[in-house]
Amino acid sequence: MGNCGVVGVNWGDEGKGRMVDLLTERYDIVVRYQGGGNAGHTVINEKGKFALHMLPSGVLRSGVVNILGGGVALDPENLWKEIEEVRVEDVEITPENLKISERASLLMPWHRKLDELEEARLADKKYGSTKQGIAPFYSDKYQKKTVLAGELLHPELLKAHLTDILEWKNLIITKVYGAEGYTWGMIEDWIEKYCDPIKPFLCDAGRFLMDAQESGKNILFEAQLGALRDIDYGIWPYTTSSTTLAKYAPIGCGAPAIEMTDVIGVIKAYSTCVGEGPFVCEMTGHEADLLREAGAEYGAKTGRPRRVGPLDLVATKYGAQLQTVTSLAVTKMDVLSYMEKIPVCVRYRVDGQETDQFPFPALLDRAEPVIEYIDGWHCDISGARRWEDLPEQAQNYINMIEHAMGCRVQYISVGPERDRIVVRS
Ligand code: GDP
């Protein structure tokens, strides 16, 4: 069957967790390879409703091995809290079904603090960070000023290494921001409380994956956020701080030789965006409120209302190209059922010129959406399980997406629960 990536084509929150939860039935291993606990996947299945931030969505299916690869921002505090939370719901998490790369760098308490301090300093110029410390973490990682998870297994080396970093960090926290620094005692307590419990899960994840591939196991890669938040090619600087693209997955998991036969690009039937930055197709006022309510568009991590808009074919096509998708999943089709006419952003107008090319980030503020309307289906589609069950107008909407993307829509999600899906053969 081969390996598969499930990736976001838009700004994140497309419903990737829902798709991974559905597909894990066919895979042996689920891997997270980038990002941290700053976004969240909401999954609803027979075990309950889960908001997963760090854990791969495969933990909800027994028999699946889950990996946190070397490319993730490993936040021991949030990870351990999340493990304890899902265990309450009878989800088993053991070193057999969760493996953490010893190569993953640790997100330290000061990363969260620095994120907050910098957003506060920026005031109305803030980036709209979720304040989970992701940007300070990745900049420290690339400055080689954090520690690898595997160092937890060598306490003496860890102490020496962290003491040096702490000295430098305290200078920044106290002298640049005028805030309170950390003592070694505080860090020691934090290690004992949140890092010691995750030590049994550490391993050479790259080696595990290469062995698994050799013995014929099928691997599913689960991305966080979407193409438009990619650090290199997204709406910079309103991006995340990691690579959200499918091509990075084998590197981020420590097994660059692994290839993906399928990349499923997840698209929401309309657009949402959390935080600051250009969002060309943004709706406002009553129209936006109706869509936000219909789609329950509030952030899984922060509860912030998401900005909403119609499906943006310009951004979505750009995202699908970046993700090298081989097929598409369209989620939340049921949410559009209340609309008589459905708006779609088909092109942008930049400085009076219409274009179907996604502009350079600094020009996005000058772009306006060109909107066309297509007929809505205006009825409940949440019971649809086969293509034939969908009303003609809903089929037309999907055909329009396929035509614009030049790619097959394989899955159409009509509700958040695992079985509310149309799978096309
Ligand atoms: P992810 O980070 O890409 O996994 O997406 P999120 O979990 O942040 O956001 C997707 C939200 O939409 C979650 O609350 C899901 O339960 C919900 N969802 C996913 N698919 C559907 C669908 O087809 N219909 C509806 N109504 N909700 C959906």
Side-chain angles (χ1 to χ4, degrees), residues 239-371:
T239 58
T240 193
S241 303
S242 64
T243 304
T244 60
L245 305 184
K247 288 283 184 199
Y248 176 71
I251 296 172
C253 75
I258 289 181
E259 302 213 345
M260 269 179 270
T261 38
D262 301 290
V263 178
I264 301 174
V266 187
I267 299 177
K268 203 178 267 190
Y270 51 95
S271 300
T272 60
C273 171
V274 177
E276 312 299 316
F279 185 36
V280 176
C281 65
E282 184 163 14
M283 280 174 174
T284 52
H286 184 57
E287 198 187 16
D289 293 342
L290 281 178
L291 183 52
R292 186 176 305 108
E293 287 310 311
E297 294 297 351
Y298 297 90
K301 182 82 199 174
T302 58
R304 284 189 289 186
R306 292 176 182 149
R307 298 157 76 191
V308 297
L311 177 68
D312 179 336
L313 292 178
V314 181
T316 303
K317 188 163 182 184
Y318 175 69
Q321 280 165 352
L322 285 174
Q323 291 291 22
T324 60
V325 299
T326 55
S327 65
L328 296 168
V330 177
T331 61
K332 302 195 103 166
M333 273 290 278
D334 53 304
V335 172
L336 298 183
S337 296
Y338 74 94
M339 289 186 181
E340 268 176 53
K341 293 272 180 197
I342 304 179
V344 178
C345 170
V346 290
R347 286 178 298 283
Y348 288 173
R349 193 176 298 108
V350 184
D351 299 336
Q353 298 274 330
E354 287 196 9
T355 178
D356 60 3
Q357 300 295 311
F358 194 70
F360 181 72
L363 298 183
L364 277 166
D365 277 339
R366 307 215 310 243
E368 291 163 42
V370 177
I371 302 286

Side-chain angles (χ1 to χ4, degrees), residues 58-229:
V59 292
L60 302 175
R61 187 115 39 186
S62 37
V64 172
V65 177
N66 297 274
I67 310 265
L68 289 171
V72 302
L74 188 69
D75 176 343
E77 185 172 333
N78 275 342
L79 176 62
W80 185 242
K81 286 181 185 163
E82 194 171 318
I83 290 175
E84 294 202 301
E85 247 170 58
V86 298
R87 276 179 172 167
V88 171
E89 305 293 324
D90 274 346
V91 174
E92 216 180 311
I93 311 257
T94 67
E96 290 309 304
N97 76 338
L98 176 67
K99 298 187 185 293
I100 303 173
S101 171
E102 61 193 10
R103 284 278 182 165
S105 299
L106 290 192
L107 188 143
M108 301 297 296
W110 50 72
H111 291 130
R112 227 186 302 280
K113 181 165 188 153
L114 283 165
D115 208 349
E116 276 170 22
L117 290 169
E118 180 57 9
E119 285 286 274
R121 190 192 70 82
L122 286 167
D124 58 352
K125 291 191 179 145
K126 66 182 191 293
Y127 288 78
S129 164
T130 54
K131 299 184 194 143
Q132 293 301 309
I134 303 298
F137 162 84
Y138 275 107
S139 39
D140 278 3
K141 171 172 167 161
Y142 287 99
Q143 283 198 74
K144 286 98 60 190
K145 289 222 196 278
T146 184
V147 291
L148 301 182
E151 290 179 64
L152 294 172
L153 303 174
H154 308 281
E156 284 313 308
L157 295 178
L158 177 75
K159 184 172 181 185
H161 193 180
L162 269 181
T163 308
D164 287 347
I165 295 174
L166 180 63
E167 188 186 331
W168 171 73
K169 270 287 115 143
N170 274 341
L171 283 174
I172 298 170
I173 293 169
T174 57
K175 307 257 189 252
V176 176
Y177 293 100
E180 191 92 5
Y182 291 84
T183 61
W184 172 249
M186 288 159 89
I187 299 306
E188 219 168 18
D189 289 347
W190 181 82
I191 292 174
E192 200 181 297
K193 200 162 169 200
Y194 301 115
C195 298
D196 288 350
I198 65 166
K199 281 200 236 175
F201 299 91
L202 297 177
C203 71
D204 181 345
R207 165 66 37 219
F208 176 87
L209 283 166
M210 283 185 282
D211 291 347
Q213 158 126 315
E214 219 149 89
S215 57
K217 302 274 194 236
N218 296 307
I219 305 166
L220 187 68
F221 293 94
E222 174 179 23
Q224 186 222 27
L225 291 166
L228 297 159
R229 298 286 187 194

